[in-house]
mmCIF file of all heavy atoms in Angstrom:
data_model
loop_
_atom_site.group_PDB
_atom_site.id
_atom_site.type_symbol
_atom_site.label_atom_id
_atom_site.label_comp_id
_atom_site.label_asym_id
_atom_site.label_seq_id
_atom_site.Cartn_x
_atom_site.Cartn_y
_atom_site.Cartn_z
ATOM 1 N N ILE A 236 -2.171 24.864 94.368
ATOM 2 C CA ILE A 236 -1.196 23.791 94.207
ATOM 3 C C ILE A 236 -1.146 23.290 92.735
ATOM 4 O O ILE A 236 -0.123 23.088 92.157
ATOM 5 C CB ILE A 236 -1.548 22.631 95.151
ATOM 6 C CG1 ILE A 236 -1.405 23.151 96.579
ATOM 7 C CG2 ILE A 236 -0.674 21.392 94.904
ATOM 8 C CD1 ILE A 236 -1.960 22.182 97.620
ATOM 9 N N LEU A 266 -5.232 25.328 79.491
ATOM 10 C CA LEU A 266 -5.746 24.173 80.212
ATOM 11 C C LEU A 266 -5.624 24.408 81.741
ATOM 12 O O LEU A 266 -6.551 24.136 82.524
ATOM 13 C CB LEU A 266 -5.025 22.917 79.790
ATOM 14 C CG LEU A 266 -5.401 21.647 80.587
ATOM 15 C CD1 LEU A 266 -6.704 21.114 80.033
ATOM 16 C CD2 LEU A 266 -4.325 20.571 80.496
ATOM 17 N N VAL A 270 -8.787 24.302 84.285
ATOM 18 C CA VAL A 270 -8.891 23.349 85.368
ATOM 19 C C VAL A 270 -8.879 24.076 86.713
ATOM 20 O O VAL A 270 -9.661 23.717 87.606
ATOM 21 C CB VAL A 270 -7.756 22.311 85.275
ATOM 22 C CG1 VAL A 270 -7.791 21.403 86.516
ATOM 23 C CG2 VAL A 270 -7.862 21.485 84.000
ATOM 24 N N THR A 275 -11.403 25.628 91.666
ATOM 25 C CA THR A 275 -11.755 26.733 92.574
ATOM 26 C C THR A 275 -13.228 26.752 92.878
ATOM 27 O O THR A 275 -13.638 26.768 94.050
ATOM 28 C CB THR A 275 -11.368 28.108 91.932
ATOM 29 O OG1 THR A 275 -10.066 28.022 91.432
ATOM 30 C CG2 THR A 275 -11.509 29.182 92.941
ATOM 31 N N ILE A 276 -13.985 26.652 91.837
ATOM 32 C CA ILE A 276 -15.497 26.742 92.054
ATOM 33 C C ILE A 276 -15.903 25.493 92.831
ATOM 34 O O ILE A 276 -16.696 25.575 93.817
ATOM 35 C CB ILE A 276 -16.194 26.809 90.701
ATOM 36 C CG1 ILE A 276 -15.868 28.144 90.042
ATOM 37 C CG2 ILE A 276 -17.720 26.723 90.931
ATOM 38 C CD1 ILE A 276 -16.362 28.259 88.626
ATOM 39 N N TRP A 280 -16.385 27.475 96.471
ATOM 40 C CA TRP A 280 -17.581 28.303 96.397
ATOM 41 C C TRP A 280 -18.480 27.971 97.600
ATOM 42 O O TRP A 280 -18.818 26.850 97.854
ATOM 43 C CB TRP A 280 -18.319 28.126 95.097
ATOM 44 C CG TRP A 280 -19.599 28.917 95.025
ATOM 45 C CD1 TRP A 280 -20.848 28.468 95.179
ATOM 46 C CD2 TRP A 280 -19.687 30.338 94.825
ATOM 47 N NE1 TRP A 280 -21.750 29.462 95.056
ATOM 48 C CE2 TRP A 280 -21.061 30.671 94.854
ATOM 49 C CE3 TRP A 280 -18.755 31.359 94.620
ATOM 50 C CZ2 TRP A 280 -21.531 31.944 94.661
ATOM 51 C CZ3 TRP A 280 -19.237 32.652 94.424
ATOM 52 C CH2 TRP A 280 -20.570 32.927 94.466
ATOM 53 N N ILE A 304 -9.890 36.576 87.652
ATOM 54 C CA ILE A 304 -8.460 36.636 87.289
ATOM 55 C C ILE A 304 -8.130 35.604 86.212
ATOM 56 O O ILE A 304 -7.489 35.914 85.220
ATOM 57 C CB ILE A 304 -7.594 36.484 88.530
ATOM 58 C CG1 ILE A 304 -7.704 37.751 89.399
ATOM 59 C CG2 ILE A 304 -6.143 36.246 88.156
ATOM 60 C CD1 ILE A 304 -7.183 37.589 90.797
ATOM 61 N N VAL A 331 5.030 31.160 81.412
ATOM 62 C CA VAL A 331 5.465 30.815 82.749
ATOM 63 C C VAL A 331 5.346 32.027 83.679
ATOM 64 O O VAL A 331 4.759 31.946 84.775
ATOM 65 C CB VAL A 331 6.938 30.309 82.719
ATOM 66 C CG1 VAL A 331 7.452 30.085 84.128
ATOM 67 C CG2 VAL A 331 7.021 29.074 81.879
ATOM 68 N N ILE A 352 -0.472 37.965 102.288
ATOM 69 C CA ILE A 352 -0.746 39.080 101.409
ATOM 70 C C ILE A 352 0.540 39.561 100.762
ATOM 71 O O ILE A 352 0.637 39.706 99.518
ATOM 72 C CB ILE A 352 -1.381 40.268 102.167
ATOM 73 C CG1 ILE A 352 -2.817 39.933 102.495
ATOM 74 C CG2 ILE A 352 -1.286 41.533 101.356
ATOM 75 C CD1 ILE A 352 -3.563 41.069 103.190
ATOM 76 N N LEU A 356 1.499 39.346 96.824
ATOM 77 C CA LEU A 356 1.713 40.604 96.128
ATOM 78 C C LEU A 356 3.052 40.646 95.423
ATOM 79 O O LEU A 356 3.164 40.996 94.242
ATOM 80 C CB LEU A 356 1.635 41.732 97.168
ATOM 81 C CG LEU A 356 1.639 43.154 96.616
ATOM 82 C CD1 LEU A 356 0.335 43.363 95.808
ATOM 83 C CD2 LEU A 356 1.717 44.159 97.740
ATOM 84 N N GLY A 387 7.724 50.269 92.181
ATOM 85 C CA GLY A 387 7.077 49.138 92.846
ATOM 86 C C GLY A 387 7.756 48.781 94.152
ATOM 87 O O GLY A 387 7.116 48.487 95.136
ATOM 88 N N ALA A 417 -8.616 45.960 116.239
ATOM 89 C CA ALA A 417 -9.014 47.245 115.683
ATOM 90 C C ALA A 417 -10.409 47.642 116.158
ATOM 91 O O ALA A 417 -10.678 48.811 116.473
ATOM 92 C CB ALA A 417 -8.944 47.224 114.166
ATOM 93 N N LEU A 427 -3.539 53.563 113.189
ATOM 94 C CA LEU A 427 -3.984 54.602 112.248
ATOM 95 C C LEU A 427 -2.852 55.005 111.350
ATOM 96 O O LEU A 427 -3.021 55.170 110.146
ATOM 97 C CB LEU A 427 -4.537 55.806 113.052
ATOM 98 C CG LEU A 427 -5.829 55.560 113.765
ATOM 99 C CD1 LEU A 427 -6.224 56.749 114.626
ATOM 100 C CD2 LEU A 427 -6.959 55.247 112.747
ATOM 101 N N ALA A 457 5.693 49.056 77.681
ATOM 102 C CA ALA A 457 5.660 47.602 77.707
ATOM 103 C C ALA A 457 5.144 47.079 76.357
ATOM 104 O O ALA A 457 4.420 47.832 75.657
ATOM 105 C CB ALA A 457 4.773 47.152 78.792
ATOM 106 N N PHE A 477 -7.276 45.166 98.453
ATOM 107 C CA PHE A 477 -7.998 46.087 99.287
ATOM 108 C C PHE A 477 -8.988 45.368 100.195
ATOM 109 O O PHE A 477 -9.066 45.649 101.409
ATOM 110 C CB PHE A 477 -8.773 47.113 98.393
ATOM 111 C CG PHE A 477 -9.621 48.079 99.169
ATOM 112 C CD1 PHE A 477 -9.057 49.295 99.605
ATOM 113 C CD2 PHE A 477 -10.877 47.756 99.528
ATOM 114 C CE1 PHE A 477 -9.812 50.145 100.325
ATOM 115 C CE2 PHE A 477 -11.643 48.652 100.258
ATOM 116 C CZ PHE A 477 -11.113 49.852 100.686
ATOM 117 N N ALA A 511 -6.145 62.607 80.077
ATOM 118 C CA ALA A 511 -6.507 61.824 78.891
ATOM 119 C C ALA A 511 -6.961 62.686 77.752
ATOM 120 O O ALA A 511 -6.793 62.326 76.542
ATOM 121 C CB ALA A 511 -7.608 60.806 79.224
ATOM 122 N N PHE A 517 -2.752 56.277 71.502
ATOM 123 C CA PHE A 517 -3.925 55.521 71.931
ATOM 124 C C PHE A 517 -3.673 54.739 73.235
ATOM 125 O O PHE A 517 -4.486 54.722 74.128
ATOM 126 C CB PHE A 517 -4.343 54.581 70.810
ATOM 127 C CG PHE A 517 -5.710 53.996 71.022
ATOM 128 C CD1 PHE A 517 -6.769 54.756 71.516
ATOM 129 C CD2 PHE A 517 -6.009 52.664 70.682
ATOM 130 C CE1 PHE A 517 -8.016 54.177 71.704
ATOM 131 C CE2 PHE A 517 -7.245 52.110 70.893
ATOM 132 C CZ PHE A 517 -8.270 52.891 71.407
ATOM 133 N N ARG A 519 -1.535 55.463 75.532
ATOM 134 C CA ARG A 519 -1.414 56.389 76.645
ATOM 135 C C ARG A 519 -2.788 56.902 77.050
ATOM 136 O O ARG A 519 -3.082 57.113 78.218
ATOM 137 C CB ARG A 519 -0.533 57.571 76.189
ATOM 138 C CG ARG A 519 0.644 57.803 77.093
ATOM 139 C CD ARG A 519 1.495 58.950 76.599
ATOM 140 N NE ARG A 519 2.043 59.663 77.731
ATOM 141 C CZ ARG A 519 2.998 59.266 78.516
ATOM 142 N NH1 ARG A 519 3.596 58.076 78.288
ATOM 143 N NH2 ARG A 519 3.431 59.975 79.506
ATOM 144 N N ALA A 545 -19.266 45.179 96.492
ATOM 145 C CA ALA A 545 -19.743 44.437 95.356
ATOM 146 C C ALA A 545 -19.689 45.298 94.075
ATOM 147 O O ALA A 545 -19.307 44.841 93.011
ATOM 148 C CB ALA A 545 -21.183 43.964 95.571
ATOM 149 N N TYR A 550 -17.250 46.529 89.024
ATOM 150 C CA TYR A 550 -16.598 47.521 88.131
ATOM 151 C C TYR A 550 -15.247 47.004 87.646
ATOM 152 O O TYR A 550 -14.938 47.070 86.447
ATOM 153 C CB TYR A 550 -16.427 48.863 88.884
ATOM 154 C CG TYR A 550 -16.257 50.027 87.945
ATOM 155 C CD1 TYR A 550 -17.200 50.998 87.839
ATOM 156 C CD2 TYR A 550 -15.066 50.147 87.164
ATOM 157 C CE1 TYR A 550 -17.076 52.079 86.953
ATOM 158 C CE2 TYR A 550 -14.943 51.217 86.302
ATOM 159 C CZ TYR A 550 -15.916 52.175 86.226
ATOM 160 O OH TYR A 550 -15.793 53.211 85.348
ATOM 161 N N PHE A 562 -7.347 47.048 74.286
ATOM 162 C CA PHE A 562 -5.900 46.789 74.003
ATOM 163 C C PHE A 562 -5.726 45.829 72.869
ATOM 164 O O PHE A 562 -4.798 45.933 72.076
ATOM 165 C CB PHE A 562 -5.187 46.327 75.292
ATOM 166 C CG PHE A 562 -4.899 47.423 76.264
ATOM 167 C CD1 PHE A 562 -5.489 47.420 77.488
ATOM 168 C CD2 PHE A 562 -4.023 48.454 75.948
ATOM 169 C CE1 PHE A 562 -5.228 48.469 78.405
ATOM 170 C CE2 PHE A 562 -3.739 49.448 76.835
ATOM 171 C CZ PHE A 562 -4.321 49.482 78.050
ATOM 172 N N SER A 591 -14.880 45.628 63.121
ATOM 173 C CA SER A 591 -13.980 46.069 64.201
ATOM 174 C C SER A 591 -14.433 47.433 64.727
ATOM 175 O O SER A 591 -14.376 47.672 65.901
ATOM 176 C CB SER A 591 -12.529 46.174 63.722
ATOM 177 O OG SER A 591 -12.260 45.129 62.821
ATOM 178 N N THR A 603 -17.370 54.861 78.405
ATOM 179 C CA THR A 603 -18.059 56.093 78.711
ATOM 180 C C THR A 603 -19.128 55.889 79.742
ATOM 181 O O THR A 603 -19.434 56.772 80.555
ATOM 182 C CB THR A 603 -18.674 56.693 77.446
ATOM 183 O OG1 THR A 603 -17.744 56.561 76.383
ATOM 184 C CG2 THR A 603 -19.012 58.165 77.626
ATOM 185 N N LEU A 615 -23.247 53.047 87.409
ATOM 186 C CA LEU A 615 -24.476 53.203 88.178
ATOM 187 C C LEU A 615 -24.315 52.616 89.602
ATOM 188 O O LEU A 615 -24.693 53.269 90.597
ATOM 189 C CB LEU A 615 -25.657 52.576 87.463
ATOM 190 C CG LEU A 615 -27.032 52.712 88.127
ATOM 191 C CD1 LEU A 615 -27.501 54.123 88.031
ATOM 192 C CD2 LEU A 615 -28.059 51.809 87.518
ATOM 193 N N GLY A 676 -16.737 42.227 72.354
ATOM 194 C CA GLY A 676 -17.628 43.361 72.184
ATOM 195 C C GLY A 676 -19.044 42.982 72.526
ATOM 196 O O GLY A 676 -19.775 43.714 73.200
#
Side-chain angles (χ1 to χ4, degrees):
Chain A
I236 295 169
L266 176 78
V270 174
T275 311
I276 295 171
W280 178 255
I304 288 166
V331 175
I352 287 184
L356 190 65
L427 290 174
F477 178 90
F517 193 41
R519 236 178 144 76
Y550 201 111
F562 282 114
S591 321
T603 317
L615 181 71

